[in-house]
Structures are given as structure tokens and as C-alpha cells.
Amino acid sequence: MAVARNRVIFVVAIVFLLSFLSHRNILQDSLRHLLGGCIAPVEQNNIGQEITGMTMPDDTPRKSNLQSQIDAVFIRIQNLIPHVPFTPFNESTSGRHSTAFIVNPREQYCVGDDFVVQLIMYNYLGNRKTYGGDFIRPRLFSKKLGASMSGRVEDFNNGSYHVHFTLYWAGKAKVSCLLWHPSEGIAALWRARHSSLGVLGFQGHYVSFGKQAVSTCGFQLDTKEEVCEYKDDFYEEAFYCIKPRNFSCDCLTNMRAVDIQASFLTPGEKQLFQWSNVGVEIAQNVQIMVTNCGKLSTPKPKCQTGMSSPIPSGYFLNDTWNPVYCNMMTYTTGEDFTKCLQGKRLFLIGDSTLRQFIMHFTEGIKIAKYFRYHESGWHSWEKTLEALNMDKDMYISYKRHGFPLESFMFYYFKEDLYTSRQIDRCGGGKDTIIVITMGQHFRQFPLKLYIKRALNIRRATERLFLRSPDTKVIIKTENTREINSPPERIGDFHGYSQYLVLREVFQGINVGFVDAWDMTVASATATVHPPGATFASIMSLTFTFAC
């Protein structure tokens, strides 16, 4: 009897122990789930570790949640891209042979009316195109009035398009429709962009006890040599360098870009991107006179974070941007910006198009002074900048968005942090403003790299809002750039696809969305750092959201 009783007690104890362990695991998992949004990511940015020769990081059998999101966004963008086979050059779309005319012309056009222009596309042989997908950049403008806006393109996928404008000003209005690239060129650029892990190379500079070495780096390396992996597991970001002999991976100090002269376009495809075939005017003499017919405009609220930005998002009039969905305040003088920024901390995170902001504050209107920086202009543009106004309790900083960066001079790399990491390290608060941009330095790489970075920034912003909902976060899209920019490496079509990604990723979140792409298309800005009225309006909209 005693033996049987002991056996029963032993079995019950085992059952109790297993049950306890099971419930403890369930409890731990539940706590992790509940607290996951509040746990700070472990600091593991740019940690170098040695791995044996490699071409790509090992594929994981199961996609992460982030990777699944990346794939979903990529598919949505890819569905907008024409996938037409390459044809002989003469069978591609010709802007010079194509025509434009007004749909249902009227004797009188009123402010507030819709205005539609039809485009019929032909190839170089004079034959009408039977499919769509051309990259067209439309504008309606009046130089005399300082007025301009972009148009919305409707593709009928049969070689014809409707370009839709809303008439926002009284006076003359002229149409400009540029065939930036034919559909055959867009298909070629999309294929070429995703044929490798980039058309730009990098070199890393290693220093150890007075010795130096330069090594090849990148998102992917085809080598059998030892490789240093610089990985951030939390954000699923990584890049690699060939490990110099007798150097630790931790000795990487500086980075620079290298033009590796890579191209994945065929000789026939390259014909499509000769300068004479980029940005060709279709509509030559389409213009109308608009009158103010007494229609009352609907009052608009002040621009504030969380608002949805339509396409097109606004128009210029008297050289000032007017968002169509809200009222923008104009910031022009030092006093205007000082009132906004007094007692605030402003963090500018991105590329040189945000460095332009801090240069304006310090070298333009001079409301702050650089701290520990004694150069001016675009010298050493890669450097982190800080500026102060002690009397007004203002702090302004500019930092890069992290690897990749197209700088052909070595720059100090160890202070680089991904934008998402910088956001996660920020306490935030009602007196904190964060302005973010990225794009120009990602055009050389497959779109999924850009999508990953955008999604990580959104996730970090959501975490910031959990702990500090009063923080102001503004997302600035990238600008258009020079028409002679190499199309395969940094052309505007790549910028446009990234612009679509930002619009997709930052829907439904309480950020200010500065549509600099729309502004620079509307004003026909032909420089990556827009001057004059365009830059002034980008600044005004940014700080209307911020203040």
C-alpha cells in the first residue's frame, strides 16, 4: 500500500510541475506581448563580427513580420510599374511625335473648375502606341502670376492619357507635359534596379595602432575572404566589409562611396536615356484664360499633423505654396522662425536637403550659431552639425540618416545611426520637433532596402508617440533633381517610386507630411537643393506643422 501511495504522490507531483511550467511560459509570453511596445530596443548598432566568406546573409526559413510588410508594400508599388518587353528604339514612345489637346474645350473657364488635357502617344515611326506606362510630368503654370501646379495623370493603358487639373487662379494658364521616360524605359529601369544590390560601391577605412587599411564594403559581397558583418538585429539592417588582414572588425572608422560604373541596362535600352530623350515637351501651345466667376471657396483648417495629403497636394500662387487641404502659415523672416523655435529642440535627420535647413538658420537668416563647426556652405557636408541660440533657448541639430551615403570623400562613420535608432533614443516631448527625410542616397539600390528603412522609421515613430505623444514629427519627401542626373543611378523615376513608398507607409499616423516632390514638380525645380520660393514654401509648410 505504501509503495502504491508513493507512486500516486510522485505522479501527481510530476503533473503539477509540468502544469506550472506550462502556465509560467504562457504568462511570460503574455507579458512579453503586452510590454513589447514599451521595451526599448537593445543597443546593437554597427557591431562588427567576423564571418567566413559569403555572398549573402543566410536565408531564414520563416519571414519576419517586417519582411512580410516590406513584400506587401513592394508588390503594391510593383503593380504600378509597366512591364513591357524591350522594343527597337524607334518603336518606343516619342514625346516629339505625341500630341496634346483640351478635352471638351469651353468658351469660359472658372476658378474651381476641372480642366482635362488628353495626350495621344506615338512612337518615333509615327505609329500610335497601344499600351501605357509612360512616365509623364505635367504642370499648369503662369510665370506672370508666379502660379503653378502639377497634374494628375490617368492612364488608359492604350497609348492615351487624361491629365486632370483643378483651376485655382484667375488669369492665363499654360500646360506643360513632359515625357520624362517612355514606358519601355521605365520597365528597363525597374528591371535594372532590381538586378543587383546596387550600382554604387563603398569602401571602409580601418585604423588600428597607427596602421591603416581600406576595404570593399556593401550590402552584398561576392567573396571567399573573411567578412565583417555590421548588423542591427532589431531593425533587420546589415551591411558587410571584407575584413582587412590583422584588423579587428571594430576598427572601421570611415566610409566613402565608390562609383563602380555598374550598369544593368542593355546597349539598346541605354538609347532611351540619351539626354535629348529625357523630359521632352509634349504640349506646346495648350493654354486657357481663367476667370473668377464668383464661386465661394470653402474655408480650410490650419495645417496640422495627422492630415492626409492628396495628389496634387497644392499649388503656387504669387510664388507661395497653397496646400489644397489646409492653410499654411508663411515663415520668411528670422523673427518668424524664432517665434516658432524658441524653447524648442529641432532634430533634422536625413540628407543634404535637410542640411539646407540648418544652413538657412545659421548662414541665411542667422537666428542660431554653429557649435564646434567653423566652415560654411557645402564644405564637409557629411558632418553632423549643431547650432544654438542661447538667448532664445533654441537647439538645432542635423545628422545623417545612416548607411548608405553617397559621399566620395571619406567621412567619419562611427557616429552614424539609422534614423529609427535616433528616434528610439529620443525622449521627445512637446518642445521636441523631429524632421525626417531620405531618398536621394537610396536611388542606387533595390526598392526593398528603402521600404525597410521607411517601415522602421514608422515603427520607431509609433514607439515615440506611445511614450511622448506631444512630439512633433514631420516627414519630408525627397525633391526632384537635375534633368541630367544619370537615370539608372540617381534619376527621378527612382525618386518617384520612393515617393510612392512614403505616401503608402505613412498613411494614418499623426505626422506632418511635406510633399516636397509635388512642390518641386509644380515649380519645375531643376536642382536637388531648390532655391527661392520653392525652398521657402517647403520650410513654411514644415514649420506650420511643427508650430
Side-chain angles (χ1 to χ4, degrees), residues 46-297:
N46 297 333
I47 296 176
Q49 55 178 311
E50 300 174 18
I51 53 179
T52 310
M54 53 159 288
T55 56
M56 284 280 288
D58 291 337
D59 291 333
T60 53
R62 184 178 177 182
K63 286 184 181 179
S64 67
N65 178 265
L66 175 60
Q67 189 58 55
S68 295
Q69 285 186 284
I70 292 168
D71 291 345
V73 174
F74 180 82
I75 289 170
R76 287 196 286 273
I77 302 301
Q78 188 176 44
N79 287 338
L80 303 175
I81 307 301
H83 298 282
V84 299
F86 179 72
T87 60
F89 174 78
N90 285 338
E91 295 180 16
S92 64
T93 313
S94 166
R96 296 177 184 85
H97 289 79
S98 300
T99 61
F101 55 88
I102 299 172
V103 175
N104 299 324
R106 303 197 300 269
E107 291 184 2
Q108 184 182 43
Y109 291 90
C110 297
V111 173
D113 285 351
D114 292 326
F115 173 58
V116 182
V117 174
Q118 183 158 359
L119 305 179
I120 305 295
M121 313 304 282
Y122 293 83
N123 63 25
Y124 286 88
L125 299 174
N127 298 322
R128 179 167 170 169
K129 295 295 294 291
T130 58
Y131 50 87
D134 298 305
F135 185 32
I136 298 166
R137 186 175 290 178
R139 299 171 62 232
L140 190 69
F141 69 97
S142 169
K143 287 185 178 180
K144 182 179 179 180
L145 298 174
S148 60
M149 65 173 296
S150 66
R152 178 177 62 84
V153 178
E154 181 182 7
D155 187 350
F156 293 105
N157 296 308
N158 62 1
S160 67
Y161 303 81
H162 276 179
V163 181
H164 298 264
F165 300 98
T166 300
L167 302 177
Y168 288 112
W169 64 84
K172 286 185 178 179
K174 186 175 181 180
V175 174
S176 168
C177 290
L178 302 180
L179 174 63
W180 208 258
H181 297 306
S183 55
E184 295 83 3
I186 295 303
L189 287 174
W190 184 263
R191 178 194 54 76
R193 185 175 187 178
H194 300 95
S195 296
S196 72
L197 268 188
V199 292
L200 188 71
F202 294 92
Q203 288 181 335
H205 181 217
Y206 289 74
V207 178
S208 178
F209 297 105
K211 296 181 180 180
Q212 302 183 44
V214 174
S215 178
T216 299
C217 303
F219 287 109
Q220 175 182 0
L221 296 175
D222 186 4
T223 180
K224 294 183 179 179
E225 299 182 58
E226 275 189 294
V227 168
C228 293
E229 180 183 57
Y230 300 94
K231 188 174 184 180
D232 192 318
D233 288 311
F234 187 79
Y235 304 107
E236 300 181 33
E237 296 275 9
F239 70 93
Y240 308 87
C241 294
I242 295 177
K243 182 179 179 296
R245 185 173 298 178
N246 300 323
F247 282 82
S248 164
C249 292
D250 294 321
C251 295
L252 176 63
T253 58
N254 297 291
M255 293 285 287
R256 72 177 175 190
V258 179
D259 189 352
I260 56 177
Q261 303 292 320
S263 175
F264 294 88
L265 296 173
T266 67
E269 290 170 338
K270 288 180 181 179
Q271 274 190 284
L272 300 169
F273 304 107
Q274 295 173 356
W275 303 134
S276 59
N277 298 323
V278 176
V280 177
E281 185 77 56
I282 302 169
Q284 295 290 338
N285 295 301
V286 178
Q287 56 185 350
I288 58 173
M289 176 63 73
V290 185
T291 57
N292 196 336
C293 304
K295 292 183 178 180
L296 296 177
S297 58

